[in-house]
Amino acid sequence: MRARRNSRSLSSSRIFGLAAAILCGALAGAASAETVALRHFTLIDGTGRGPAADQALVITDGRLSWVGPAAKLKLPAGARVEDLRGKYVLPGLIDSHVHLGLVNGIAQDIKYQTPESIEKQLHLYAAYGITSVQTLGTEKDLIFPLRNAERAGRPDMARVFTVGQGVVFKGSYGGVPGLDQSVATPEEARRMVDAQVAKGADAIKLWVDDEFGTLSSRMPPAISSAVIEEARKDGKKSIAHIFYYDNASELTREGINAFAHEVRDRPIDTALLGRMKAKGVWQMAATLSREASFTYTMLPFLDDPFFARGVTPEVLAELRSPERVKKLAAAPNFSKYAPTLRNAMANFAAEAKAGVRYGMGTDSGPSARFPGYFAHWELELMVRAGITPLQAITAATGHNAEFLGARDIGTVQAGKWADLLVLDKSPLADIRNTRTIHEVFVAGHKVPTIWQICTGRSADACGKAE
Ligand SMILES: [Zn+2]
């Protein structure tokens, strides 16, 4: 155990620099105290219940061994106690739609995908309070041993759920260059599904899109229905990338379990809403932050320290460069992004109102779609679209865990992992307060938060936290 702790500290120090290394050293000491009690906080437990004042919890070996009113707390002998008066405790957030290790800065290439680049991003997710992610289909097989190692122990970075490689119809939209994941026939599709399941995929992903009509085809129903049926036979849920209403409608008929994006070509109608509800199709991820990011030639939060701490000065300079702004403005699809975002937001609101189940997911990971930061932006956009902050938090915690079938994360209840996000201000008063991160725990390990790191610079170069 001691050796493993040391190696964790080392890998963290490579990522976060000297200050973080010192911090990790201090935490390694604290971690040897196996029992921690947090008390006098307001609890938002992830089940959808409203806030409960003056609560307490006990963490034993990384799991919640007791949760209840502070007045009823029986302090275990030797427990380290933290008074969190005025703070808010939530389950760690779950991002149900990410891609890992695809970029170096904002340059995207599968060659950058290594265990090291993936772990670096998983630490960054955790720093932002995102304690679990689901990768959706562009990871090499190296993702499986990494996930298995986390699942067998007590990670100090975001937990991974993965579909392995998603299924792409040859010549249509999906996947990433350099990863062989396209199929041409239903038989090939079934074989690919079986292969992903044999490797240990948690679910199956497929893409049905043609990039605003710029590609000659989308995955036909003969293939998508084979993928969905084979996944079901293998005991796995199927998750579809969609863009068009017609495809969402057809996939619902075929028995898809979830959508990884909104219908974005037109407003959704009561007919499709009704069928999604009747068949239990989830809007697993609305990816509003993804759609919003495309509407800017220069992202609007480059001066926000909550963002800037997570990227290098080189990335910030590149995002600000006039050449990049000019290039994005001149892209043939640029004018299509604003109406696409409007459709996505309206359709998400319509689904929530109609009672379609939904989670929270961003599609972070491809170039200029930033791990962690986008999850907080996503929550803000979900609330702006028309749900309450409590609903948005529940989507990102209890509901996402339910969709993943992850029984020991997503809520703050006895028996679950101590994956926790501690905030200075109430996220129910203003959803943007999810950014007031005080502490993050993964499996009971207190990890460096985004306010304690300063990527690519000396520790004091990002200014004072908050
Ligand atoms: Zn995606």
Side-chain angles (χ1 to χ4, degrees), residues 218-299:
R218 303 177 208 160
M219 181 182 280
I223 308 265
S224 57
S225 57
V227 171
I228 292 166
E229 191 186 271
E230 196 67 15
R232 194 193 307 114
K233 271 191 205 160
D234 292 341
K236 302 295 172 191
K237 289 177 176 166
S238 49
I239 302 164
H241 166 111
I242 51 153
F243 180 87
Y244 298 97
Y245 175 97
D246 289 348
N247 297 126
S249 184
E250 166 64 19
L251 289 161
T252 296
R253 197 186 64 70
E254 291 170 9
I256 195 81
N257 294 103
F259 295 136
H261 303 282
E262 289 291 338
V263 166
R264 290 165 284 167
D265 63 325
R266 50 162 276 196
I268 203 165
D269 57 14
T270 51
L272 180 53
L273 290 170
R275 275 183 295 128
M276 284 177 70
K277 235 184 117 171
K279 299 197 77 172
V281 179
W282 279 60
Q283 189 62 54
M284 185 196 71
T287 68
L288 304 177
S289 50
R290 171 197 196 266
E291 317 309 337
S293 74
F294 293 153
T295 67
Y296 295 97
T297 52
M298 195 189 296
L299 292 168

Side-chain angles (χ1 to χ4, degrees), residues 97-99 136 205 207 241 261 290 363 366 369:
H97 186 162
V98 312
H99 301 271
L136 277 195
K205 161 85 178 278
W207 277 271
H241 166 111
H261 303 282
R290 171 197 196 266
D363 203 4
R369 306 215 299 269

Side-chain angles (χ1 to χ4, degrees), residues 169-186:
F169 178 59
K170 211 160 237 148
S172 80
Y173 175 90
V176 286
L179 206 55
D180 174 27
Q181 58 191 131
S182 66
V183 299
T185 67

